[in-house]
Amino acid sequence: FPSHDRQWCKIDLPHVTVVYGGEVNSSKPTMFNELAKLASLVASVTSELVMKVEKVDIFGDDERVSVLVLKKTKEILELRRIFEKWDDSDFTVFRPHATTGPEGSEINPVPLYLVFDRLAVVWGDQILSFRLKPYKQNST
């Protein structure tokens, strides 16, 4: 979840999907608990993610959406690696992005960066989120 002004977003749950776990009804019932335990642990040692917006793009075939394509950082790639065993996506390449709304959603001005302050496990209508540590810029 982003930690700042959400005027750039026209959806109810602004986010970057680290992994897509598949449909709830086809997943093991214990998966939510496993993911929640790991997310809690990971959030306790992970700082807020500051992600540079690289461009605006359109994703999807049937249901096309406007997205902000985000620069791959070592932090987001590490999160992806930690949770990757649960990924059930049809996409073979991880492209970090934040969906802004349906195709044609106006984004003006386009933000230069997005800051994400929580890690969430979403299971159907259930959302369990964990705060990340505040981002501290190096003073060197």
Side-chain angles (χ1 to χ4, degrees):
F1 301 122
S3 64
H4 59 303
D5 179 10
R6 296 184 186 158
Q7 291 181 353
W8 59 269
C9 188
K10 309 281 191 241
I11 64 172
D12 292 335
L13 184 62
H15 67 280
V16 172
T17 301
V18 178
V19 296
Y20 169 71
E23 297 293 323
V24 170
N25 59 3
S26 63
S27 300
K28 293 187 318 184
T30 58
M31 184 176 167
F32 181 70
N33 289 338
E34 292 171 22
L35 282 168
K37 285 181 203 175
L38 183 56
S40 173
L41 175 64
V42 169
S44 72
V45 296
T46 303
S47 294
E48 293 173 330
L49 299 175
V50 178
M51 301 188 70
K52 183 174 178 21
V53 175
E54 292 192 322
K55 65 180 181 173
V56 176
D57 204 348
I58 304 294
F59 282 8
D61 294 323
D62 298 332
E63 198 173 318
R64 296 174 57 81
V65 294
S66 294
V67 301
L68 298 176
V69 177
L70 304 170
K71 181 177 179 166
K72 287 183 184 177
T73 62
K74 64 182 182 187
E75 293 84 5
I76 195 69
L77 291 174
E78 181 61 18
L79 280 177
R80 169 78 176 177
R81 187 192 64 72
I82 291 168
F83 292 97
E84 196 165 28
K85 80 175 195 176
W86 283 286
D87 189 43
D88 192 33
S89 172
D90 292 334
F91 300 103
T92 56
V93 176
F94 176 55
R95 295 176 65 194
H97 65 279
T99 301
T100 61
E103 181 178 18
S105 299
E106 293 291 324
I107 310 160
N108 195 7
V110 174
L112 297 176
Y113 291 89
L114 297 178
V115 179
F116 293 87
D117 67 346
R118 287 174 276 168
L119 181 61
V121 178
V122 179
W123 187 265
D125 293 337
Q126 297 180 70
I127 301 172
L128 189 56
S129 69
F130 304 94
R131 289 241 176 242
L132 301 175
K133 296 183 335 181
Y135 176 78
K136 292 197 179 174
Q137 194 171 15
N138 289 340
S139 57
T140 56

